[in-house]
Amino acid sequence: MFAGARLAAVYAPSRGGRELRLVGPVGESGVPPDWPAGYAVSGRSAVADAYRGGRALWLGPDEPAERRAAVPGAVAADASLGVLPIGADDRRLGCLVVVDGTGEGFDTDRRAFLELYAEQVAARIEAGATPGAAVGPGMTAAPGGAPGAAAAAGIGAAGRPGAVPVAEGGRIHGGLLPDHALATGPLGSFTLALHTGRITADPSMLELVDIDPGEFDGRVETLLAHAVPDDLPTLMSLVEPGKGAPASRELEFRVRRPSGELRWLRLRCRVLEDPAGRPERVLGVVVDASSLRPETDEVALVQRLSAALAATMTARDVALAVVEALRDPLVGADRVAVAGLEADRLVVTVLDPPDPAAWPDIWRSEWRSEWPDTPLRALPTLATALREVRVGLCPAGAELEPALEGVGPGGLALLPLPAEGRVIGACLAGWDAPHEFGAEERSLLTATAGLVGQALRRAHAFDAQHELATTLQRSLLPRRLPALAGGVAVARYLPAMVGLEVGGDWYDVIPLSDSRVGLVIGDVQGHSAGAATIMGQIRTAIRAYAVEGHPPDVVVSHANRLLVGMETDLFATCCYVELDMEEGDAWIVRAGHLAPLLRHPDGATEEIETEGGLPLGILADADYPITAAGLVPGTVLALLTDGLVESAALHLEDGMRRMRGLLAAADPSDAGRMADGLLGDGSRRDDDVALLLLRYDGTSVRPIRAGWTVWRLPDAVMHARRFTARTLRGWGVAEEADAALLVVSELVTNALIHTQGPVRLDLTLAGDRMRIAVTDASPRAPAKPVVADWESTGGRGLLLVEAMSATWGSVPVSGGKQVWSEFVVDPAPGPVGAGAGAAPPGGP
């Protein structure tokens, strides 16, 4: 007898549901004649109480007579009794009554085994439904063993043929199963001690795995060695349950017999915890499920799905592969949803069909973005299947919650997606026409769910790493390019379509002083988060060196030494261009990168010949020579990375010729459309692609400049003011002259008092903007006081500058800084006179 039970009986509700009738008492010694034939569901008995309450009752010898009424008279009065409900609350199938045969009562372990045993009974009753019989709402049709209630008990072969009714609508009624329903195979049990890995298995369990009981050493590894390697990850989730793993599990696995054939086994288990809440033991029952495995054609379909899942990368790829399989080859579902679990919400990855009108109202109300996410509390039937890790099959006409009843009016399959000991998602397959669920199809769906769960787990890990790398890369690339006076700059970036789809390509547009701009494009070796990190560091370093006022060759040299000092195995290439937007003069430095391309106003193109140097990060003392070029208005400068012009099927020289042809044919009037045309059709790429275009238009109004070297004399501020006044009169600026003179006084005074070394004053008039800039040799930025004491005689200079200026600021320059202030002016027409040029360094 199983778990020390001497007698057992199954009671099931009648067609009307008012009475629990005896289905089939079975036992080692035949059929006792005096088992009670039935109980009223509303009556006072242990069987009715357990059925109504959905909770097992364990009765000792001292229980009242009406509570022990299920015990036949032939049973000793001091025998213990167990009454266990069969099925869950929403799929109650009856009760299992067991009588203790040991005389010791039912301890914790025996109770757990018998509860698992009752679950096995429920599964076999469901699987034993005749073709066309309905399975109630939320019911799971489990494969394994012969299809019948008495046979499900697995306690003996003696029974009344044809006495087992059929499940329909959550009840068992008078339809009878064939005689062979009473046949059954072995039912094994085991206890696994998690902290030692020692396992106690009964002879039936060892027989199922083809191990001689006399040779079993009690090690879990010995049992695992008989399992098919592909099923080991699932089994290890039981041997090493993780935090948050479900307390009850149901799974299928394969063992290879000595003859070489495979045997499918179904395992149900329960994890018991110690007083501290840590997993301590696993109790399980195992039955032979080979007779209900898919046929050869169905196995081939599962194998094709497995191959398709192996080629997926993201969670969306996995979901699309599942939809393609469930819609036609496997089960022909009309409606499929694949979703992940996040906290208590079902976050949908793919819906097919994608039309919101094809799904229930609650899904549409939660349609927040491309796909909806739905709270699990609105899906109790699905929540039960996920909690029990069981495939749920709901027939046509089943009573379901509003969130599910429209998904599959002809039938609905609920597939938990398990991976690494926990459920990470769910798949719903619905049919519009009435659909009959067979045990074979249930096994097919179970196998599918296992494959999808593992693939989805892998995809989630990839998605997380990809999202991290993509976020990092996007945060390190410019969000937008600055507006330039005298030109338009646009950029495009496309990640590689392999690996994480991130890489080390970058670009930047850096506004510099005196109407100059720095353009840079580069490529760090590799396609990984590490490459993206190095890219961000190099881009930041080049921007910092450029803004400090270093010439292009020094900027690239400093970046090279920085990368060498990082002690990384990665290297980078880059091309840096400093461009004077007024004069059109360009200074180019190339570090192992592609040379820039020029498109002249007449459409002719050329590749700028530059000497270039080694890639960054190879040699600390590498030289980076400067190449000068001139641009005229209407010229387009193109900086690009090799992913745009080179691939396994395209030689670099051919790619550069192709790019020059595209440049010549493009219309430069729309720089953005021109950049899109150079990218092509966006077909699959093996490398990152970065493109930076600058259309040089030239300045329509040439700025006027004047400069003054401030001598460190007692009257230095006075001379600076007089120089400014003469220059503004020559430029026709009168209304703003007083404010400008005050700003000059404050900035020059601060430079003379707080710094050492040379000081220079520069004035620039460009259209309606006048700029005053004072440059000194101190890198320390000016500090604006937080509080100014009214009795103090100083400390308000920068507050006055801020109040008088339209805008002001400070920028580092080579070896020092420049503090500047701008005014909006309305210069009067007239000659600029001598003030248009720079004053002699020696004074006025």
Side-chain angles (χ1 to χ4, degrees), residues 338-339 386 415-419 422-427 448-450 452-454 456:
V338 182
L386 299 182
L415 282 68
L417 304 180
R422 65 186 186 91
V423 175
I424 64 171
C427 177
T448 299
V452 175
Q454 294 297 331
L456 195 61

Side-chain angles (χ1 to χ4, degrees), residues 53-67:
R55 190 163 51 89
L57 299 177
W58 306 98
L59 311 177
D62 54 347
E63 291 289 332
E66 65 271 14
R67 296 278 283 175

Side-chain angles (χ1 to χ4, degrees), residues 545-564:
Y545 296 141
V547 170
E548 284 183 355
H550 297 295
D553 56 341
V554 176
V555 170
V556 177
S557 295
H558 283 2
N560 173 59
R561 282 193 287 271
L562 175 68
L563 185 54
V564 171

Side-chain angles (χ1 to χ4, degrees), residues 587-762:
W587 295 270
I588 304 167
V589 174
R590 191 166 59 89
H593 202 81
L594 299 177
L597 299 178
L598 279 184
R599 182 192 187 278
H600 298 286
D602 61 358
T605 62
E606 67 169 307
E607 181 178 331
I608 302 178
E609 294 185 5
T610 55
E611 182 177 349
L614 293 173
L616 307 179
I618 294 180
L619 183 63
D621 297 328
D623 293 328
Y624 297 98
I626 297 179
T627 300
L631 278 61
V632 299
T635 302
V636 176
L637 175 68
L639 305 179
L640 47 98
T641 58
D642 57 359
L644 191 57
V645 293
E646 185 179 28
S647 68
L650 182 64
H651 192 271
L652 178 59
E653 294 181 357
D654 296 333
M656 292 295 283
R657 282 194 296 269
R658 172 181 172 274
M659 188 56 53
R660 288 179 58 182
L662 292 174
L663 265 176
D667 180 7
S669 62
D670 187 337
R673 183 173 297 178
M674 186 180 192
D676 293 336
L678 296 180
L679 290 180
D681 59 2
S683 57
R684 186 170 183 85
R685 301 170 302 279
D686 296 329
D687 198 1
D688 313 315
V689 169
L691 173 66
L692 179 59
L693 293 183
L694 183 134
R695 188 188 68 215
Y696 175 67
D697 300 327
T699 54
S700 57
V701 179
R702 300 295 297 273
I704 307 170
R705 291 190 174 89
W708 176 264
T709 299
V710 180
W711 295 338
R712 289 184 175 272
L713 298 174
D715 297 331
V717 175
M718 180 189 69
H719 291 305
R721 285 173 57 91
R722 289 179 177 177
F723 162 75
T724 303
R726 291 194 302 271
T727 302
L728 295 184
R729 285 195 299 269
W731 290 351
V733 176
E735 185 176 346
E736 295 82 8
D738 291 340
L741 291 175
L742 177 58
V743 168
V744 167
S745 297
E746 297 297 337
L747 295 183
V748 171
T749 299
N750 282 347
L752 293 174
I753 293 176
H754 300 294
T755 70
Q756 301 293 326
V759 176
R760 181 174 176 82
L761 169 64
D762 291 285

Side-chain angles (χ1 to χ4, degrees), residues 386-470:
L386 299 182
R387 184 174 61 252
E388 298 179 357
V389 199
R390 297 182 182 179
V391 171
L393 303 180
C394 307
E399 295 181 3
L400 295 172
E401 54 267 30
L404 289 180
E405 62 183 358
V407 176
L412 177 63
L414 309 173
L415 282 68
L417 304 180
E420 298 183 3
R422 65 186 186 91
V423 175
I424 64 171
C427 177
L428 286 71
W431 289 261
D432 291 331
H435 182 79
E436 296 180 357
F437 294 103
E440 293 84 357
E441 185 176 57
R442 198 269 187 185
S443 295
L444 183 63
L445 293 172
T446 301
T448 299
L451 290 173
V452 175
Q454 294 297 331
L456 195 61
R457 179 64 175 173
R458 183 189 70 247
H460 282 168
F462 176 87
D463 285 343
Q465 188 177 5
H466 178 263
E467 181 179 359
L468 174 63
T470 301

Side-chain angles (χ1 to χ4, degrees), residues 270-626:
R270 181 167 300 177
V271 179
L272 303 183
E273 298 179 341
D274 61 15
R278 295 184 296 266
E280 181 181 32
R281 289 176 297 151
V282 177
L283 309 182
V285 296
V286 180
V287 296
D288 190 339
S290 300
S291 62
L292 297 179
R293 294 308 305 169
E295 298 178 354
T296 303
D297 291 342
E298 295 170 329
V299 172
L301 293 174
V302 173
Q303 290 175 339
R304 287 199 292 272
L305 174 61
S306 178
L309 292 173
T312 58
M313 297 291 290
T314 67
R316 186 170 177 82
D317 293 338
V318 172
L320 291 174
V322 175
V323 168
E324 184 176 356
L326 294 182
R327 288 282 281 178
D328 186 25
L330 286 179
V331 293
D334 298 299
R335 198 173 285 105
V336 179
V338 182
L341 289 180
E342 294 183 8
D344 62 342
R345 299 191 72 83
L346 191 70
V347 181
V348 177
T349 305
V350 167
L351 292 178
D352 190 76
D355 182 10
W359 297 86
D361 290 340
I362 190 170
W363 293 57
R364 296 200 293 271
S365 66
E366 297 287 343
W367 217 285
R368 299 177 179 175
S369 56
E370 181 183 5
W371 304 114
D373 57 357
T374 302
L376 273 181
R377 64 177 179 274
L379 306 167
T381 303
L382 177 61
T384 299
L386 299 182
R387 184 174 61 252
E388 298 179 357
V389 199
R390 297 182 182 179
V391 171
L393 303 180
C394 307
E399 295 181 3
L400 295 172
E401 54 267 30
L404 289 180
E405 62 183 358
V407 176
L412 177 63
L414 309 173
L415 282 68
L417 304 180
E420 298 183 3
R422 65 186 186 91
V423 175
I424 64 171
C427 177
L428 286 71
W431 289 261
D432 291 331
H435 182 79
E436 296 180 357
F437 294 103
E440 293 84 357
E441 185 176 57
R442 198 269 187 185
S443 295
L444 183 63
L445 293 172
T446 301
T448 299
L451 290 173
V452 175
Q454 294 297 331
L456 195 61
R457 179 64 175 173
R458 183 189 70 247
H460 282 168
F462 176 87
D463 285 343
Q465 188 177 5
H466 178 263
E467 181 179 359
L468 174 63
T470 301
T471 302
L472 172 64
Q473 187 170 52
R474 289 177 178 173
S475 66
L476 295 177
L477 289 174
R479 288 190 175 183
R480 62 181 63 88
L481 299 184
L484 302 176
V488 176
V490 297
R492 297 291 185 267
Y493 175 82
L494 296 175
M497 300 181 69
V498 296
L500 286 179
E501 296 188 11
V502 295
D505 285 17
W506 90 92
Y507 58 87
D508 204 354
V509 177
I510 310 167
L512 305 174
S513 60
D514 298 328
S515 298
R516 295 194 177 193
V517 63
L519 308 172
V520 61
I521 195 165
D523 183 2
V524 176
Q525 171 196 11
H527 308 96
S528 65
T533 302
I534 295 295
M535 173 270 289
Q537 292 174 299
I538 294 297
R539 171 182 170 256
T540 303
I542 288 179
R543 170 175 278 267
Y545 296 141
V547 170
E548 284 183 355
H550 297 295
D553 56 341
V554 176
V555 170
V556 177
S557 295
H558 283 2
N560 173 59
R561 282 193 287 271
L562 175 68
L563 185 54
V564 171
M566 289 181 184
E567 299 182 352
T568 177
D569 294 332
L570 301 178
F571 63 85
T573 66
C574 80
C575 182
Y576 179 80
V577 180
E578 184 175 314
L579 178 62
D580 187 332
M581 300 300 290
E582 296 177 9
E583 304 295 337
D585 295 327
W587 295 270
I588 304 167
V589 174
R590 191 166 59 89
H593 202 81
L594 299 177
L597 299 178
L598 279 184
R599 182 192 187 278
H600 298 286
D602 61 358
T605 62
E606 67 169 307
E607 181 178 331
I608 302 178
E609 294 185 5
T610 55
E611 182 177 349
L614 293 173
L616 307 179
I618 294 180
L619 183 63
D621 297 328
D623 293 328
Y624 297 98
I626 297 179

